[in-house]
Amino acid sequence: MFTSPYPDTILMGGLLEYHYRKGGPHHRDNVGLREAMRRKTPLIYFLGIEPGKYLAEWPVFIVEDIQHAEIFRVLIDEKNLVENFQRSGPGEVLYASEEYYRRRYVTNQAIARLHQRVFRARVLAAYQEQCAFCRLRHPQLLDAAHIIPDKEEGGDPVIPNGLSLCKIHHAAFDSNIIGVTPNYQIIVREDILQELDGPMLRYGIQQMHKQKLILPSNKDHWPDRQKLEIRFKKFKEVS
Ligand SMILES: [Zn+2]
């Protein structure tokens, strides 16, 4: 069982990078992790969400020890892959068998899911588990919405590219029914404002118009204004 105090680098191919405990390669924790690598022991990895809050991931396996960089590489969730890692000889070079490459797609899916879980947990924590539009406080009904979609440039899974939104407001934001200005004002699309319908439309959507976005207490976690600007431009185009 080991924890990471800082945001972790997740590499393509299913590997996480874990920095050595301070104290060099012979620090007992680092020696213990190296031993776990040798024995292929499954471990639980705790990814930092915010101070004192972690997301548990298991099983994970240490597959590489890069002493000059003081880094261990950690493989997530794919027990079968561990058997496919082989040392190429002396030194730090490691190569993987064909089976590894064949299965890499599966691992990338696991990594993508992990990215999403970490993103969701970090964004919800930043907003104290409430919807940034309507203050709804039920985590089961909350999502982390991307301001710039995750397949586009700048669509990184980081808190300033996220908004904690309830399911209905997430869908309304994604489908450009509701937009957010770079000054953190919520705007409902004109044609939607003209519509007549029941309480969901009236209270849930129309009344959000021109309200202020609810922001995280930590300013570093506020939505990136440039990203909001790019996104709001798109919203205006379809309005
Ligand atoms: Zn909401």
Side-chain angles (χ1 to χ4, degrees), residues 123-148:
V123 171
L124 264 60
Y127 286 79
Q128 294 176 306
E129 304 196 319
Q130 58 185 333
C131 174
F133 289 1
C134 70
R135 290 186 197 276
L136 189 73
R137 284 177 169 278
H138 287 272
Q140 304 93 321
L141 299 178
L142 296 176
D143 289 334
H146 286 79
I147 295 170
I148 304 285

Side-chain angles (χ1 to χ4, degrees), residues 11 15-17 61-64 66 71-75:
L11 304 167
L15 298 177
L16 263 159
E17 285 194 338
F61 301 89
I62 297 190
V63 291
E64 202 172 352
I66 309 169
I71 280 169
F72 286 111
R73 286 206 170 137
V74 182
L75 183 71

Side-chain angles (χ1 to χ4, degrees), residues 204-217:
I205 294 177
Q206 289 169 336
Q207 283 195 4
M208 293 296 121
H209 189 53
K210 295 199 168 168
Q211 300 282 334
K212 269 283 184 199
L213 195 71
I214 294 156
L215 293 165
S217 48

